[in-house]
Amino acid sequence: KILIIGACGQIGSELTFKLRSIYGDDNVVASDISYSNLDIVNSGLFEIVDAKDYASVKTCVEKFNIDTVYLMAAMLSATGEKYPMEAWDLNMTSLFHVLNLAKDNFIKKVFWPSSIAVFGPTTPKEYTPQYTIMEPTTVYGMTKQVGERWCEYYFNKYQVDVRSLRYPGIISWKTLPGGGTTDYAVEIYHEAIKNKSYECFLKDESELPMMFMDDAIKATVDIMQAKAEDIKIRSSYNLAAVSFTPEDITESIKKQIPEFEISYKPDYRQDIANSWPKSINDSYARQDWKWKHQFSLDDITEEMLSQLRKKYN
Ligand code: VAH
């Protein structure tokens, strides 16, 4: 059986529905620290699990005979800069609990998300390679960088089957994201529908690696279903789809909403965005387990606007 920790979050919620459609409702347990997403809470097996409390995680694993854990709970980059000690504690403690449950054979397989936030201002920004300098300047990025080291360590030392992806910014419409620097790329579509205008907290030429949620979910399912011997990187795989700026999104939206207007009011998240790559080289994911993205920026705009029109009308 599968346990998703952080199932009420932006990725966790969509992963829950996808995994239930693949493995069956009764084989997927959703969990989170609170009942913060009623669609998830009322959609099937749901448990309150405190990812920072080993006993809480272990009890759930034993109660439902879990063999695979997707650890999707974390404090993201922007919020992590407001609460650095809490971000370190949540992101690291939860990872150690899940890795140790696997080391001690309570579970068999782990998915743990990393992020392009592992890269910093000294990392080459164009087509950032899988192996390169990594001096992250956010607490969130630090937790992802050192978390990758621990994942590889537990694989090499204890043969833990942990698999990981360096997600780019993820765009979705079902659940609002929580505290990320790339959240502007979600908010802009909601505002385009509601107000035909958006005040963007990043400046117009801030290019960042992005991905539509359906691509991110496909990559997550694909890497977890791949044969173990095909997973040659046990820190975390670079993963890419499209890169664009707030200006690019605005042009894409204007093709459908010509009167849409954007204004720019950069805030503290601009420094975070400036420290990240503009584009990512994900050739290892493409060669090792046949990763391929599907959604272009215009595909994302098409899907976001059509789904949000239904949600708001
Ligand atoms: C964030 N959405 O902004 C997350 C992600 C690459 C960005 O890690 O913090």
Side-chain angles (χ1 to χ4, degrees):
K1 286 206 183 191
I2 292 169
L3 170 63
I4 298 163
I5 299 175
C8 291
Q10 182 194 12
I11 306 173
S13 56
E14 301 217 30
L15 203 48
T16 297
F17 289 114
K18 181 70 180 177
L19 294 174
R20 282 182 176 153
S21 72
I22 297 171
Y23 300 103
D25 291 357
D26 294 343
N27 293 315
V28 179
V29 180
S31 75
D32 212 303
I33 189 73
S34 69
Y35 299 105
S36 57
N37 181 330
L38 292 183
D39 291 347
I40 290 294
V41 173
N42 299 322
S43 67
L45 296 171
F46 182 86
E47 290 283 308
I48 293 290
V49 167
D50 176 352
K52 292 196 304 186
D53 175 351
Y54 181 78
S56 172
V57 182
K58 185 164 178 279
T59 300
C60 185
V61 162
E62 292 181 321
K63 176 178 175 182
F64 290 95
N65 195 20
I66 299 295
D67 56 49
T68 303
V69 172
Y70 291 75
L71 174 52
M72 309 309 287
M75 197 182 287
L76 298 184
S77 60
T79 309
E81 292 309 296
K82 289 180 189 162
Y83 309 103
M85 287 299 111
E86 291 78 0
W88 179 266
D89 184 21
L90 170 60
N91 295 9
M92 297 316 302
T93 306
S94 58
L95 177 59
F96 286 131
H97 290 339
V98 174
L99 288 177
N100 284 325
L101 282 167
K103 171 169 83 71
D104 298 336
N105 295 311
F106 289 104
I107 57 177
K108 291 195 181 62
K109 212 170 177 184
V110 176
F111 177 78
W112 180 74
S114 183
S115 162
I116 59 155
V118 294
F119 300 116
T122 53
T123 305
K125 288 199 177 302
E126 300 285 353
Y127 210 43
T128 301
Q130 174 74 38
Y131 302 104
T132 183
I133 188 162
M134 302 161 91
E135 296 176 320
T137 52
T138 62
V139 172
Y140 171 74
M142 288 152 59
T143 67
K144 293 304 182 182
Q145 180 185 28
V146 76
E148 290 186 8
R149 299 289 89 235
W150 278 110
C151 288
E152 190 183 75
Y153 183 86
Y154 267 64
F155 173 75
N156 288 330
K157 187 152 181 155
Y158 307 117
Q159 294 71 53
V160 167
D161 187 358
V162 51
R163 306 177 188 200
S164 180
L165 297 171
R166 290 172 182 160
Y167 286 133
I170 294 179
I171 299 171
S172 63
W173 53 273
K174 292 194 187 85
T175 308
L176 281 172
T181 300
T182 57
D183 294 357
Y184 89 87
V186 176
E187 293 170 0
I188 193 167
Y189 289 108
H190 289 261
E191 294 309 308
I193 297 287
K194 288 191 292 188
N195 307 312
K196 294 194 180 358
S197 70
Y198 177 59
E199 184 177 85
C200 186
F201 58 75
L202 297 185
K203 60 182 190 304
D204 57 349
E205 75 271 15
S206 306
E207 183 179 2
L208 288 170
M210 298 281 188
M211 179 177 284
F212 191 52
M213 176 64 78
D214 293 23
D215 272 337
I217 297 296
K218 181 178 182 326
T220 309
V221 170
D222 287 358
I223 193 172
M224 287 297 272
Q225 290 185 337
K227 293 196 297 296
E229 57 268 27
D230 290 342
I231 309 297
K232 301 190 173 50
I233 294 175
R234 291 290 181 159
S235 49
S236 188
Y237 276 91
N238 276 7
L239 190 73
V242 289
S243 285
F244 47 75
T245 65
E247 212 168 19
D248 296 329
I249 297 193
T250 298
E251 289 319 304
S252 181
I253 291 172
K254 284 166 95 95
K255 290 177 190 168
Q256 296 207 23
I257 308 174
E259 64 275 31
F260 173 71
E261 289 298 326
I262 188 169
S263 58
Y264 297 99
K265 195 175 177 209
D267 66 16
Y268 74 102
R269 289 167 285 191
Q270 186 64 54
D271 294 338
I272 297 173
N274 292 345
S275 73
W276 288 348
K278 293 174 183 295
S279 58
I280 297 288
N281 173 347
D282 62 355
S283 52
Y284 284 88
R286 291 176 190 259
Q287 84 191 23
D288 289 0
W289 43 275
K290 312 295 167 263
W291 160 244
K292 197 165 101 38
H293 78 281
Q294 277 151 359
F295 288 78
S296 69
L297 172 54
D298 283 344
D299 295 336
I300 294 171
T301 297
E302 167 69 36
E303 190 62 18
M304 288 294 282
L305 293 181
S306 63
Q307 296 291 354
L308 289 174
R309 277 193 192 100
K310 282 186 253 176
K311 196 169 175 172
Y312 286 112
N313 294 339

